[in-house]
Structures are given as C-alpha cells and as structure tokens.
Amino acid sequence: MVESGPPRPLRWAISLWWVVALLLAALTALTWTVGTGAPPRPGAPPADAARLLLVHTALAAVLVAAYLVLGAMLFRRRPWVRIVLSVFALVHLLMLLGTGAVLGAQAVLVVLGGTAAVLMWRRPSTEWLTGEHD
C-alpha cells in the first residue's frame, strides 16, 4: 500500500505546529482578559504596560500566522518551509528565554514546538519533501 500524502512524522509535525499556533493564540487572548498583573518594570506607568501588551499581541499574531500558514505549506511539499519554520521557532524560543517566560504553558509551547521541529526533519519527512514532486 502506497501512502499518498505526507509520512506520519510530518503529519504529526504539522499538527503540532497548528497546536502551538492555537495555544499561543489562546494564551495571548488570556493575557488580554486577565492581564499580567505586573507592570513591565517597577514604577512604570500603565501606558507602558498597555504598550507592552500590544507589542506582545503583534508578535504573537505574526507567530500564530506563520505556524498556521507554513504548517499548511508543508502539505504542498515545499522543503524550504522547514527552514523558515525552524527560524520562526528559534526566534520564538529565544524570545521566551530572553524574557524568562519559560514556565507553565510557555514550557508546553517549547516542548510541542521542539517536537514538531524534530519530526519535520526526520528522514521520512525529508525524503517526502525533497523527493520527486507530482
């Protein structure tokens, strides 16, 4: 039996990228409803907190869109998409590490994104993405 679509590791990777995108969107929405509870730095005016929230939301929107769109593009057998997704994931990881926000739900994002990255670079995924195209 010949498999017509992407191999299982790549299907899992795509699904995980979409889960990361949806979880990030949910966490961002949650931040808007409950707030962070702390100003960006002690004694900072509320305007700074609002500006930080807007920047956070804009960055999250870019990452969510990238994970959703690029994940879907993997189905179209575009090998370069893995590189772009890996760069977005690395930038996201560095932002999380830089802010010290790798706790709780953020840690779940790191684990899911790391797993997705590993799965999309496995041999079956590579062979399918770089093999002959229809």
Side-chain angles (χ1 to χ4, degrees), residues 5 8 17 33-34 40 45-46 61 64 69 72 80-81 87 90 103 107 120 127:
R8 183 173 290 162
W17 285 124
T33 58
V34 298
V64 166
V69 171
W80 58 267
V81 171
V87 168
L90 183 61
L103 300 172
M120 74 177 179
E127 288 173 354

Side-chain angles (χ1 to χ4, degrees), residues 7 12 20 35 42 63 71 82 89 97 99 108 127-129:
W12 274 100
V20 167
L63 289 170
R82 291 185 306 170
L97 292 174
T99 60
V108 173
E127 288 173 354
W128 186 80
L129 286 168

Side-chain angles (χ1 to χ4, degrees), residues 39-49:
R41 60 187 183 281
D48 283 354

